[in-house]
Amino acid sequence: GNAAFAVPIVAVGWLFAGDALLPAGALHAVLALPSAVLAFLIHFGVSYLIVQVTFVLYSYYGAIFTRIALHHAFSGVAAPLALFPPGLLAVASVLPFRHVIETPVRIWLGRVPLDETLGLLAAQAGWAAALLGFGASIFGFVLARHQIQGG
């Protein structure tokens, strides 16, 4: 699914940026791999949390549109976070969305020193654990509140 979208984007990026899309070095490429896995877990954790919220609210629309808006605004998809004004950048820096796109890309391109890279990986792991744990706790509440009928 996502590969169908990613391949043309990478192809156009390669056309315009060329070798600038390559990792800064072998260490950066190696460190970007766990960052990409953690980015997936954060993205899944946010989605999992939203699904649990829809069970509680009995509505999908507000929750999913809020998630999409926050993700697009604060992940670096709509604009690089470096272009944000200081106040908005401060908000983006405390939310998990920046770790879905910006963090793996910055690590891949070598835009962060090694000690900061390890801190970013730790922050990603913390967000992934917190989001998955909070989603699981809401899931327990949802299971206690709803009944599944049938055989």
Side-chain angles (χ1 to χ4, degrees), residues 44-123:
F44 177 82
V46 169
S47 298
Y48 180 55
L49 187 60
I50 293 300
V51 167
Q52 302 316 312
V53 167
T54 61
F55 279 112
V56 173
L57 298 177
Y58 297 108
S59 174
Y60 178 74
Y61 297 107
I64 193 63
F65 288 127
T66 300
R67 186 201 68 79
I68 290 169
L70 289 171
H71 177 78
H72 282 272
F74 294 115
S75 69
V77 151
L81 299 183
L83 298 179
F84 280 25
L88 201 53
L89 184 59
V91 171
S93 68
V94 297
L95 296 174
F97 304 104
R98 70 180 277 224
H99 294 299
V100 174
I101 294 175
E102 188 203 37
T103 296
V105 168
R106 286 183 66 212
I107 292 171
W108 176 266
L109 295 175
R111 303 282 188 218
V112 291
L114 180 59
D115 59 337
E116 189 178 330
T117 299
L118 298 177
L120 287 172
L121 289 171

Side-chain angles (χ1 to χ4, degrees), residues 10 29 62 67 104 113 142:
V10 170
R67 186 201 68 79
V142 167

Side-chain angles (χ1 to χ4, degrees), residues 11-22:
V12 169
W14 192 271
L15 180 69
F16 287 101
D19 290 344
L21 292 180
L22 295 175

